[in-house]
Amino acid sequence: MGRRVAARLGQAVVVVWIVATLAFVLIHAAPGDPFSFDAPTVSEAVRAHWRAEFGYDRPLATQYLLWLGNLAHGNLGYSHSMHEPVRDALAAALPRTLVLMAVALVGAFVLGILLALFQVEHRGTRRARWAGNVALFFYSVPDFWLALVMVLAFAYWLPILPAGYPVSMATHDYMAPLAAFVDSLRHLVLPALTLVLLTTAGIARFQRNELLDVLPLDFVRTARAKGLSERQVVRRHVLRNALIPTITLFGLSMPTLLGGSVFVEKVFAWQGMGWVVVNAIGLRDYPMVLAGVLVGTVMVILGNLAADLAYGLADPRLRVD
Amino acid sequence: MLTERARAAGRAWARLAPGARLALGVIAVFVLGAVLAPWLTRYQPWQQLDVVRLKSLPPSWAHPFGTDRFSRDVFTRILYGAQLSLSIATLAVLVSSTVGLLYGAMAGYTGGWIDAVMMRFIDAMLSVPRVLMLIAVLALWSPVPVPALVLLIGLTGWFDVARIVRGQAMALRDREFVVAARALGANPARIVWRHVLPNVLSPVIVAGALAVGNVIVLEAGLSFLGIGVHEPMASWGTMFQDAANQFVSTWWAVIFPGIAIVATVLAFNTLGDALRDLLDARQLPGQPAADLPEPAHG
Amino acid sequence: MGEPLLAIENLRTYFHTSAGVARAVDGLSLAIAPGETVGLVGESGCGKSVTALSILRLVAPPGRIEAGSHIRFEGQDLLALDDRAMRAIRGNRIAMIFQEPMTALNPVFTVGDQVAEVARIHAGASRAEAWKRAVAMLDRVGIPGADERARDYPHQLSGGMRQRVMIAMALVMQPALLIADEPTTALDVTIQAQILELLAELQQQSGMSVLLITHDFGVVAETASRVVVMYGGEAVEEAPVDELFARAHHPYTRGLLAAMPRLGAPRDRLRTIPGAVPAPTAWPTGCRFRDRCASAWEQCEREHPAIANVGADHASRCHLAAAPGRRAPEDAPPRVEVG
């Protein structure tokens, strides 16, 4: 088991290296460089100085090694859109994204699995078809549009929840701890709900297919022959088997979740990594944008790694005694 | 030959679920709307009718979907936007399907360490979130012309297809007709082209239908962020750029284009699901049909 | 026999598919006495497995047990029971074991859990109690070190062990009837013998009846006291096992017996029955075996033969019962000795 972890980690490092190299190629192939951004107050001399300081005048090979070295130390460059080192900007923003994604992930998995169970237990009925249609609807909705509609619906037409930012910007710092906590929660509801709605559908579709794949298998017939009710058969025997592949979905849904969070964060001004990256686009803040890609990649890799390990534990056939 | 195909198509139509037929109808409506746009509306999508008096008007008889902040007719913009959004999506999916098909077929059929390396590369690429990757590239090279946008979207979306195709190709490699072709001395490329590819088309078609919906949403999102389609071109996504700033007061400029996207994507997803059910039932040639009771063993 | 434990009357199980109606079981009648082992024999496609599933009402759609069928068990018509009553019987009064023990056991639960589950459902036993019963049962079916093996998963056991687990699972509640659907087909010959011996022993100890479904006459010879031969969804011959082997009547049965390769016999080509089993969607008119029968004549095409008495406790569905002179010389006489 330890050997598998080590092997996977090794692969992960290789992948990160490949992506880092790609990022390097991108920076240097793109028109201009990180220091040619639009800012009339910054003189050419200052830019030249920065270029020298960050080694942009050195030969490409040296720059590449410097780049890798910097990355290994966690030095991702300087972000002029945030006026601070990229690392610091991300350190502040990332936790907010993680909170949003964690809530969304848990919510989506629970809801998705329940929805799939419902569809399979009532398969063939109109209830199940409607549930499927609702899932399909949310699967087809654009992320940013759902976010906009949520804001319209619950912050304006039915003003019950706040529409932006992680906290009430004006008053949060003056609140008592409990009130501040509640305030944060209230701000979390809409963006998290949006993400949950977007992701649940995909998980429900996958889980439903898995359940239907297991249903005709021999041991399900054996369970029925033992006298179990259809409900017991599905919930005890079928689900347990069909949940195992869903573990891989944990890793597989990370890219989608990250993508979705970019749009959700922008609409809700949720100052997480996605929001920071989107702001960086307009200002040509290359280091920030690329850092976003790298961090996103690492998160996906970690997600897949975790899913892989969990899979090995969950399926008794894979456990090495 | 042609009537044979027509008859097969007819049979397929008969077996399609009613939901799928509706989906095809919806897609047809949007495609027609896009093609016939100049005849369906007398305005131009970029035309600012009267910025003083006709801006931000709610839906009315003259403007069924209202006007936006710049007094442009929303209905017109949706029709013309369809042209760009649908073309981009279809072309991008064509790119990704083709690349994925060829890559996967080659990897699966060749096997061995070549296959291993090819798959590792895919694993690596799948680790990069597609949206972030596209944001990075599009931002760095902004503004990106539409053909390049199509290529970029296509080239970031072929990995899953390649994986599926590779699996099928590996299974096919050991089937009799392929082994027979090999025994007859056919060269690998020919075998892949004539025997493997036609049999792995089904999952590619299903994935393609679902992918078109995905790409429409993706392109809309990227245009919403300002890095997809650029002014003066108008796709469904660009309509949200300015509307998003004032959508509280001009909700029609946000809701109707959104409904257009949802309807189209829903149609493609329904179609994809229906195709999957239709094509799965036939399975690979030589396997028994699924609906007769299985003979007892022995 | 006295009051039969199980009485199947005119069972018809049809599959309503898009390709037509497959009459998998088409008018089967069969009775099993308490303590008796009945062998149900036939080739694939003759409907024997569907019969077994029909008894427990486990036939999946588009299959359906048609009206007019009756299955009486311990005084009740199983086909008239509601779902809850039927569940009380499955695994409890009637149990079933299947052919492929690897796929018939749930891969993610321990074998102990799967056996214990039966006790939890039907005896309301607590987890601890049920586990104890499970271990005892696993021990009884001959699994060494049952205590530890109970914590194993199916993939960790050999084929023979898994089949023993299935038997344990089936017998926990001491059912009156055990249906064994090809229990040894997927096993090695040596293991086959062990499993059959185990079944015989358990049956003697508990006095339960067994319906043994197989295509293998050798298995039948070992374990059954009475044999029913199925073809085309119906019973074509029924006799005590010795009688059948010595004086098989129906050309199909004779063909099957003649086709068995035997040690010590003169080295001939193996005899086969020409033709193939027709599709259940289109049984031939008249006698269903006529296209493959050397003795068939025009009555066989016209008239569907009824079950007729041809000896002591021996019935055959064949026109030859009334016209024995019409039997073709190639219709192989039975040459099998049991002993």
Side-chain angles (χ1 to χ4, degrees):
Chain A
M1 173 78 150
R3 219 176 336 159
R4 254 189 42 180
V5 178
R8 284 268 179 265
L9 275 174
Q11 281 172 7
V13 169
V14 172
V15 172
V16 174
W17 171 71
I18 293 178
V19 178
T21 309
L22 266 173
F24 180 80
V25 167
L26 274 179
I27 296 191
H28 289 271
D33 60 31
F35 304 106
S36 52
F37 52 83
D38 238 352
T41 54
V42 179
S43 74
E44 194 49 47
V46 175
R47 294 177 200 261
H49 167 80
W50 271 338
R51 287 197 184 100
E53 192 190 321
F54 284 94
Y56 275 82
D57 51 351
R58 311 258 199 90
L60 220 53
T62 326
Q63 287 196 49
Y64 178 57
L65 290 171
L66 275 178
W67 164 254
L68 287 182
N70 277 333
L71 275 185
H73 284 106
N75 178 2
L76 295 156
Y78 184 83
S79 159
H80 68 264
S81 72
M82 302 288 290
H83 309 292
E84 56 181 345
V86 170
R87 175 165 50 183
D88 297 343
L90 278 182
L94 197 54
R96 295 197 192 106
T97 300
L98 288 176
V99 165
L100 194 57
M101 283 181 57
V103 171
L105 212 57
V106 169
F109 264 84
V110 169
L111 270 177
I113 294 173
L114 286 176
L115 183 59
L117 255 181
F118 179 84
Q119 281 187 276
V120 170
E121 275 182 17
H122 299 270
R123 61 190 180 279
T125 66
R126 205 141 50 122
R127 262 175 299 176
R129 259 203 307 275
W130 270 107
N133 285 338
V134 168
L136 193 59
F137 174 79
F138 281 106
Y139 187 70
S140 314
V141 162
D143 334 48
F144 66 91
W145 189 76
L146 185 64
L148 289 173
V149 170
M150 294 289 269
V151 173
L152 261 182
F154 296 109
Y156 288 100
W157 290 341
L158 218 67
I160 52 176
L161 285 167
Y165 300 102
V167 296
S168 307
M169 300 303 260
T171 57
H172 184 83
D173 293 329
Y174 303 101
M175 293 183 182
L178 184 63
F181 180 66
V182 172
D183 184 53
S184 304
L185 274 185
R186 287 186 73 228
H187 279 88
L188 181 60
V189 172
L190 278 183
L193 186 61
T194 311
L195 265 184
V196 166
L197 284 173
L198 287 169
T199 328
T200 298
I203 294 176
R205 277 164 69 90
F206 182 87
Q207 184 68 71
R208 175 179 174 267
N209 282 335
E210 290 302 319
L211 287 167
L212 289 177
D213 276 346
V214 172
L215 215 46
L217 293 180
D218 281 349
F219 61 83
V220 177
R221 185 177 57 178
T222 308
R224 290 198 190 105
K226 285 184 350 190
L228 285 158
S229 70
E230 191 62 23
R231 197 179 221 200
Q232 285 169 316
V233 169
V234 171
R235 291 197 187 174
R236 221 185 283 180
H237 287 260
V238 177
L239 184 61
R240 183 76 176 71
N241 276 272
L243 273 180
I244 298 179
T246 311
I247 295 177
T248 61
L249 208 56
F250 181 77
L252 288 173
S253 60
M254 289 292 269
T256 331
L257 209 56
L258 278 166
S261 71
V262 167
F263 297 106
V264 168
E265 285 186 13
K266 160 126 172 95
V267 170
F268 287 101
W270 185 270
Q271 288 139 340
M273 190 178 78
W275 180 85
V276 165
V277 166
V278 168
N279 281 351
I281 298 176
L283 296 167
R284 303 268 184 160
D285 188 359
Y286 293 2
M288 195 70 231
V289 174
L290 283 163
V293 175
L294 283 170
V295 172
T297 306
V298 169
M299 284 173 75
V300 171
I301 293 178
L302 286 177
N304 277 319
L305 192 62
D308 210 36
L309 292 176
Y311 195 96
L313 287 171
D315 191 339
R317 289 167 284 194
L318 296 177
R319 289 185 216 156
V320 180
D321 312 288
Chain B
M1 188 50 181
L2 213 55
T3 49
E4 171 72 39
R5 293 272 172 93
R7 246 177 289 149
R11 262 175 284 149
W13 174 262
R15 289 172 71 174
L16 265 185
R21 297 193 206 175
L22 179 63
L24 272 174
V26 169
I27 296 174
V29 163
F30 277 103
V31 169
L32 278 176
V35 166
L36 299 174
W39 291 277
L40 290 171
T41 169
R42 49 198 161 101
Y43 306 120
Q44 294 296 312
W46 39 260
Q47 191 180 4
Q48 298 185 9
L49 301 169
D50 187 340
V51 176
V52 173
R53 281 175 302 173
L54 292 182
K55 73 167 187 182
S56 304
L57 289 181
S60 62
W61 275 116
H63 303 277
F65 289 165
T67 63
D68 69 3
R69 210 153 57 105
F70 297 104
S71 74
R72 295 177 293 200
D73 179 50
V74 174
F75 180 68
T76 309
R77 280 168 69 78
I78 291 183
L79 281 180
Y80 279 88
Q83 291 177 350
L84 209 49
S85 288
L86 288 175
S87 337
I88 292 179
T90 331
L91 289 171
V93 170
L94 261 166
V95 168
S96 59
S97 297
T98 314
V99 175
L101 188 59
L102 292 172
Y103 191 95
M106 224 170 8
Y109 185 75
T110 320
W113 65 266
I114 299 184
D115 166 57
V117 167
M118 287 175 91
M119 283 301 117
R120 280 277 159 272
F121 175 70
I122 294 210
D123 287 339
M125 297 315 290
L126 277 174
S127 299
V128 183
R130 190 180 186 187
V131 175
L132 287 175
M133 161 84 109
L134 283 169
I135 288 181
V137 175
L138 291 170
L140 288 179
W141 267 271
S142 182
V144 172
V146 172
L149 179 66
V150 170
L151 264 180
L152 275 173
I153 295 183
L155 290 175
T156 50
W158 56 269
F159 312 121
D160 276 318
V161 182
R163 246 206 202 145
I164 299 174
V165 171
R166 175 239 186 201
Q168 299 264 48
M170 290 195 96
L172 279 173
R173 191 163 43 134
D174 298 321
R175 296 206 53 207
E176 308 81 54
F177 57 94
V178 174
V179 175
R182 262 213 304 266
L184 286 172
N187 75 63
R190 187 185 163 81
I191 296 183
V192 169
W193 181 257
R194 287 214 61 203
H195 295 282
V196 176
L197 282 185
N199 284 302
V200 301
L201 272 181
S202 308
V204 174
I205 294 177
V206 172
L210 294 171
V212 172
N214 257 6
V215 172
I216 293 179
V217 169
L218 185 61
E219 177 270 314
L222 292 171
S223 305
F224 165 71
L225 290 179
I227 50 177
V229 175
H230 292 268
E231 295 288 335
M233 313 260 275
S235 74
W236 282 339
T238 58
M239 295 179 68
F240 295 98
Q241 267 171 23
D242 11 77
N245 291 330
Q246 292 222 312
F247 64 93
V248 180
S249 46
T250 49
W251 58 265
W252 47 90
V254 161
I255 297 287
F256 289 115
I259 293 182
I261 296 183
V262 173
T264 316
V265 175
L266 201 52
F268 275 105
N269 282 336
T270 309
L271 187 64
D273 281 349
L275 281 174
R276 182 198 288 129
D277 293 337
L278 186 70
L279 294 171
D280 254 357
R282 281 184 331 164
Q283 297 176 340
L284 293 172
Q287 289 185 294
D291 37 25
L292 286 178
E294 283 214 285
H297 300 287
Chain C
M1 65 175 82
E3 184 67 30
L5 176 72
L6 179 79
I8 304 176
E9 277 168 48
N10 193 31
L11 173 66
R12 288 179 305 141
T13 306
Y14 293 172
F15 287 80
H16 301 263
T17 71
S18 50
V21 179
R23 298 182 165 78
V25 183
D26 202 7
L28 175 74
S29 294
L30 172 67
I32 303 179
E36 188 183 24
T37 301
V38 174
L40 185 58
V41 184
E43 295 169 287
S44 19
C46 72
K48 26 189 230 299
S49 286
V50 178
T51 304
L53 291 173
S54 300
I55 297 175
L56 277 180
R57 287 171 58 185
L58 286 177
V59 180
R64 200 175 66 200
I65 301 177
E66 302 291 319
S69 316
H70 296 282
I71 301 182
R72 261 178 261 283
F73 174 76
E74 286 186 335
Q76 296 175 306
D77 185 355
L78 295 181
L79 301 176
L81 293 178
D82 70 2
D83 195 45
R84 180 171 247 167
M86 196 65 219
R87 275 188 272 133
I89 295 194
R90 290 188 196 127
N92 192 11
R93 304 300 304 144
I94 305 179
M96 187 160 170
I97 59 178
F98 299 94
Q99 175 178 339
E100 290 275 4
M102 182 64 229
T103 54
L105 290 171
N106 195 326
V108 302
F109 292 132
T110 61
V111 299
D113 266 333
Q114 299 193 49
V115 178
E117 188 175 28
V118 183
R120 287 215 308 276
I121 304 170
H122 293 292
S126 68
R127 288 197 90 99
E129 239 175 73
W131 183 264
K132 267 204 295 212
R133 278 179 77 153
V135 172
M137 204 62 220
L138 287 172
D139 185 55
R140 182 127 176 261
V141 297
I143 294 183
D147 210 23
E148 277 131 43
R149 288 346 278 274
R151 275 181 259 271
D152 281 344
Y153 290 93
H155 70 278
Q156 293 172 285
L157 301 177
S158 69
M161 288 288 161
R162 287 183 223 132
Q163 196 58 296
R164 289 176 195 262
V165 169
M166 288 237 44
I167 295 174
M169 222 161 58
L171 300 184
V172 171
M173 299 305 300
Q174 296 177 306
L177 172 65
L178 172 69
I179 305 176
D181 189 357
E182 310 259 15
T184 54
T185 307
L187 304 172
D188 294 337
V189 180
T190 44
I191 312 287
Q192 267 188 37
Q194 288 176 11
I195 297 292
L196 291 175
E197 233 176 76
L198 174 67
L199 278 175
E201 185 191 315
L202 291 168
Q203 187 203 10
Q204 260 192 345
Q205 288 172 1
S206 64
M208 69 181 173
S209 307
V210 175
L211 176 62
L212 181 61
I213 299 174
T214 177
H215 65 280
D216 187 342
F217 268 109
V219 168
V220 161
E222 282 281 320
T223 51
S225 53
R226 203 154 50 87
V227 181
V228 175
V229 180
M230 261 188 97
Y231 186 83
E234 40 183 23
V236 297
E237 187 157 7
E238 187 178 328
V241 70
D242 295 348
E243 168 80 10
L244 190 87
F245 279 109
R247 278 172 291 279
H249 181 272
H250 196 283
Y252 177 56
T253 315
R254 290 181 163 218
L256 282 181
L257 288 171
M260 276 171 55
R262 274 168 7 264
L263 288 176
R267 289 231 237 131
D268 254 327
R269 287 184 76 156
L270 281 182
R271 307 200 50 167
T272 58
I273 308 177
V277 180
T281 42
W283 296 126
T285 55
C287 173
R288 295 180 182 176
F289 186 65
R290 60 176 166 82
D291 291 324
R292 308 171 72 188
C293 182
S295 312
W297 69 97
E298 49 80 34
Q299 186 188 12
C300 302
E301 188 177 349
R302 233 188 327 120
E303 196 183 313
H304 182 240
I307 282 268
N309 212 314
V310 296
D313 223 358
H314 187 164
S316 171
R317 186 188 294 276
C318 180
H319 291 304
L320 285 174
R326 295 267 200 167
R327 195 184 286 277
E330 315 89 81
D331 189 350
R335 291 179 300 172
V336 187
E337 282 127 37
V338 183

